[in-house]
């Protein structure tokens, strides 16, 4: 193998793909980075765009700008539609093909509706910048419509926001939305009192934040209820429509439903014709390669990887980054002639979730934090992981402004809304 | 007339409508502010969103937040579809109606294509936030497509951006886009050299910035040409399509066409059944009221108003603000029993336009400025006119960042693009 001409194709510039590319700096290879978006998205803060705290550009960066100094990397904005494993080609939607020697698929996940895709128009999820501006528009429009509504029952339905899924995203949305309604918007309407907004968090399991220690779940329930969030446990959602949401024997009239419940992997498994789990994640070898194609790797939310104790590796940024680094190390070893298998071992750093702007829960295993101290640690950690001084400064400024004044800077209703009247 | 129950309806929260509402603080009236958007937009900086320098939320503010302390004002997000002059009702698209005693129509303008609406999909204009993100997407996508294009002629067409209209908006777009291509994006592509981007400014008249003193037009031409902009004078555009633009006997192959040429007023004249000029602006009385309906006023870009010398009042923010204040004074006088006519007199403060990030032209009549000093004065003036400390700080930060590093913070390709393949 002529190493200097070894061509690596990366599909997806999320946390996994980007970390892989970074770890290969200086390696004797050429890299082509393909993404259907022009930007890397800092997904952990996406809910803050959806709830008007941050601007879209504060959590997204042009991929080619991030990789501008890497002359060995060519960035392409393109839609992948398949992989020709035999011919070692990535197939594009314009009929083009990109040949690879090594391929990394880091294509992430979308939200999924457990076989009920008909719910999507009524219950948008949160994975892309457009998702975030859609959710933002839905929430803000509900208040605008309530201000014009004269029927008290319809008005209360418009002021009811149901969030499906009690994981970190659902908890963070619930805390932020109730603060938006009760604090930020208070006093700006004449016909409604935004403090009468109901935020209902619906979780099918028996506790929220199921990945955290039970006492942190208990704390989170108390903190959310103190903010004014209603929590409904133990009943799965069986219907979402324009009138609201049904869970168990209960119908909740809600003008806005947000989906934070399920994810499904991108079509990487279909492209490969490879075996996948129920959520569509590729069943990879211990070294994250695809069975039968040692030159293809899958990382992040697109891959099904187990921890030593048999639980799945969670779909979080640190897991994707660790996998990206692991595959980069494997590839560098192979280029150096060492083809011994290098199984991936996930190291879990901890779980974090904010509850509004004054509390958070942090579970590092060896230490558990709640309240204001946890919130500050959460904030500092996320500022740290943002890319670039400019964005760190901008996000810090936005947060301090909200903290001090309660005012949010990105309360914009933009774009049309084709999917729901 | 029972003054305390006097109800004023304002349609449009642009510069005119907002200034009118502000000037009526403390007056013995109730006000309903109706806008089809939830935000007031600082249009003079819209081109900076279109060219990735500013985020959308930095130049737009929720209307009801701006008016939150005015307990006499109710803000409604609603689409107006007509005015019932006899019944004194504003008609909404949901079948509702809002009764008024006094009505102010401050509905602004859209861009217009001189009877060639079929050009719009190929040559987007710049009036709304969505227009700005559309233009931003078109410009950034052209570079992305060029990076993938292998045919040299097609590649050069993709790297050609035509701007139709040599007024301030066209000049500001041209200067910023050429800097974006030559400075900001430089070195981030592997198959193209963004310095080969051609920006062509097409003006049908015999000089750009026709409202400015001739020597400032001459300066602007030199400053633009020094940046690398090609200026084409004296030939009107006769065709825009997917291949490019035709003006006079010339066909320019351009992947991106931006429209900065014509504006047409909003449908206020149609709603009223009132006489209008060719651009759709209502022909108002000297006091800005509608002939035959002294309780209805039209201000800003929706009104046709002449200066004492017979030239039309320009479609700029200061003109709309002056008119808003004037109508507020007229209304207050009427409520006090003084119905004497109060003709509007426009005071022209001057014309400003930036040329890239280091030059500007300013024509105050009594003083004319060019170059770096003009740029700083322009910047300080625009920061001053922004609303709120938070936005002044954010925009200052964005500008200083661009000034110091050349890097722009909002290089996002978002939303679909339904109108052009």
């Amino acid at each position: 193998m002529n190493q200097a001409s070894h061509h690596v194709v990366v599909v997806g510039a999320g946390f996994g793909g980007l970390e892989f590319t970074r770890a290969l700096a200086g390696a004797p290879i050429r890299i082509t980075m393909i993404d259907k978006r022009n930007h890397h998205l800092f997904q952990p803060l996406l809910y803050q765009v959806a709830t008007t705290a941050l601007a879209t550009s504060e959590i997204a960066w042009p991929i080619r700008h991030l990789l501008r100094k890497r002359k060995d990397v060519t960035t392409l904005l393109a839609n992948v539609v398949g992989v020709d494993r035999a011919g070692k080609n990535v197939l594009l939607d314009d009929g083009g093909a990109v040949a690879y020697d090594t391929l990394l698929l880091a294509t992430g996940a979308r939200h999924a509706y457990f076989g009920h895709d008909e719910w999507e128009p009524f219950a948008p999820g949160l994975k892309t910048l457009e998702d975030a501006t859609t959710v933002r528009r839905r929430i803000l429009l509900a208040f605008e419509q309530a201000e014009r509504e004269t029927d008290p029952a319809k008005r209360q339905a418009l002021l009811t926001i149901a969030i499906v899924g009690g994981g970190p995203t659902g908890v963070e949305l619930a805390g932020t939305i109730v603060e938006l309604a009760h604090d930020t918007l208070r006093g700006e309407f004449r016909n409604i009192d935004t403090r009468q907004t109901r935020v209902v968090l619906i979780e099918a399991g028996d506790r929220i934040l199921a990945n955290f220690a039970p006492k942190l779940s208990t704390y989170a329930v108390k903190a959310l209820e103190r903010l004014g969030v209603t929590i409904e446990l133990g009943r799965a959602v069986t219907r979402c429509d324009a009138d609201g949401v049904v869970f168990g024997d209960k119908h909740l009239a809600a003008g806005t439903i947000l989906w934070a419940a399920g994810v499904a992997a991108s079509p990487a498994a279909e492209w490969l014709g490879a075996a996948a789990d129920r959520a569509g994640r590729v069943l990879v070898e211990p070294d994250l390669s695809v069975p039968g194609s040692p030159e293809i790797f899958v990382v992040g939310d697109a891959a099904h990887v187990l921890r030593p104790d048999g639980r799945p590796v969670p779909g979080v940024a640190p897991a994707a980054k660790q996998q990206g680094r692991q595959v980069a190390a494997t590839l560098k070893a192979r280029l150096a002639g060492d083809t011994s298998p290098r199984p991936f071992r996930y190291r879990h750093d901890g779980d974090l979730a904010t509850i509004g702007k004054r509390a958070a829960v942090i579970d590092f295993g060896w230490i558990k934090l709640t309240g204001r101290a946890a919130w500050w640690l959460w904030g500092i950690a996320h500022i740290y992981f943002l890319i670039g001084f400019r964005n760190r400064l901008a996000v810090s400024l936005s947060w301090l402004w909200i903290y001090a004044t309660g005012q949010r800077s990105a309360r914009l209703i933009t774009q049309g809304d084709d999917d729901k009247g």
Side-chain angles (χ1 to χ4, degrees), chain A:
Chain A
M1 174 164 38
N2 177 352
Q3 290 184 357
S5 71
H6 190 90
H7 184 218
V8 178
V9 173
V10 183
V11 183
F15 290 107
L18 216 49
E19 191 76 7
F20 170 78
T21 305
R22 284 181 173 158
L24 286 170
I29 53 171
R30 291 179 301 119
I31 299 178
T32 298
M33 165 64 82
I34 304 177
D35 200 296
K36 61 182 174 181
R37 302 297 180 129
N38 86 319
H39 50 269
H40 168 75
L41 179 65
F42 193 77
Q43 275 189 356
L45 291 180
L46 195 55
Y47 80 96
Q48 296 222 349
V49 172
T51 54
T52 79
L54 294 179
T56 49
S57 55
E58 288 176 335
I59 61 162
W61 306 267
I63 297 158
R64 64 172 68 258
H65 180 67
L66 296 176
L67 299 171
R68 69 194 178 283
K69 290 178 182 162
R70 289 287 298 277
K71 300 303 175 194
D72 56 324
V73 180
T74 300
T75 302
L76 294 183
L77 177 76
N79 274 308
V80 172
V81 293
V83 174
D84 169 14
R85 286 167 77 165
K88 294 193 183 178
N89 272 300
V90 171
L91 309 176
L92 305 182
D93 67 349
D94 63 355
V98 183
Y100 62 81
D101 298 303
T102 297
L103 173 63
L104 181 81
L105 297 176
T107 45
R110 285 286 305 167
H111 42 272
Y113 294 86
F114 310 129
H116 287 280
D117 286 349
E118 71 275 15
W119 297 348
E120 184 162 22
F122 308 105
L126 201 54
K127 279 285 174 193
T128 67
L129 276 187
E130 285 84 356
D131 291 342
T133 50
T134 297
V135 167
R136 183 175 76 186
R137 182 178 61 243
R138 293 283 180 93
I139 295 170
L140 294 175
L141 269 181
F143 291 104
E144 297 292 340
Q145 288 164 351
E147 175 80 347
R148 287 178 62 187
E149 180 59 60
T150 51
D151 179 316
K154 287 184 186 166
R155 182 181 281 181
Q156 188 54 54
L158 286 167
L159 290 178
T160 301
I161 296 166
I163 299 165
V164 184
T169 300
V171 166
E172 290 180 328
L173 279 173
T176 320
I177 291 170
V178 78
E179 283 185 347
L180 173 74
H182 293 196
D183 299 343
T184 306
L185 299 182
R186 183 177 166 184
E188 296 194 6
F189 293 80
R190 301 292 171 256
N191 304 321
I192 59 171
D193 181 349
T194 60
R195 287 172 298 177
Q196 289 173 6
T197 304
R198 282 191 71 197
V199 176
V200 182
L201 182 63
I202 303 167
E203 165 58 44
D206 60 358
R207 65 181 175 110
I208 60 171
L209 298 178
N211 285 336
F212 290 64
K215 74 169 186 179
L216 294 180
S217 297
T218 308
Y219 172 85
V221 167
K222 278 189 196 145
L224 284 171
E225 287 181 342
R226 199 162 46 228
L227 287 175
V229 175
T230 305
I231 296 170
E232 296 278 359
L233 297 173
R235 284 176 289 192
V237 167
T238 53
R239 200 168 130 191
C240 297
D241 59 25
D243 293 328
V245 57
V246 178
F247 50 106
D249 55 354
K250 196 154 175 178
H251 177 267
L252 177 69
T256 307
I257 310 171
L258 306 180
W259 191 260
V263 295
S266 58
E270 287 172 39
W271 297 344
L272 296 169
D277 68 9
R278 277 177 50 205
R281 291 178 293 228
V282 178
L283 301 174
V284 291
E285 301 284 358
D287 70 349
L288 306 175
S289 68
V290 174
S293 293
E295 74 283 4
I296 305 180
F297 298 88
V298 186
V299 299
D301 289 351
H304 175 91
V305 187
L306 297 179
R307 305 196 215 190
D309 64 5
R311 286 187 299 156
V313 169
V316 296
K321 286 180 168 183
Q322 289 176 29
Q323 293 172 11
R325 279 196 296 271
Q326 166 85 13
V327 176
T330 300
L331 177 57
K332 281 196 273 193
R334 284 190 191 173
L335 292 170
D338 171 9
T339 56
S340 59
R342 307 165 73 90
F344 172 71
R345 307 251 348 208
Y346 174 61
R347 184 172 53 81
H348 188 64
D349 291 328
D351 293 297
L352 298 82
T354 49
I355 303 160
K357 67 173 183 173
R358 292 208 163 76
V361 288
I362 295 183
D363 188 347
F364 286 149
W366 55 280
I367 189 170
K368 299 178 200 336
L369 283 176
T370 58
R372 208 170 275 241
W375 188 88
W376 281 98
L377 187 58
W378 173 91
I380 290 165
H382 281 74
I383 295 277
Y384 174 79
F385 282 112
L386 285 175
I387 298 172
F389 173 74
R390 171 80 175 77
N391 284 290
R392 289 186 191 131
L393 195 62
V395 172
S396 302
L397 178 68
S398 293
W399 286 353
L400 288 173
W401 192 260
I402 294 168
Y403 199 83
T405 68
Q407 286 311 322
R408 291 148 199 274
S409 56
R411 278 170 49 195
L412 299 178
I413 298 175
T414 51
Q415 303 174 39
D417 194 343
D418 300 324
D419 47 353
K420 196 192 175 190

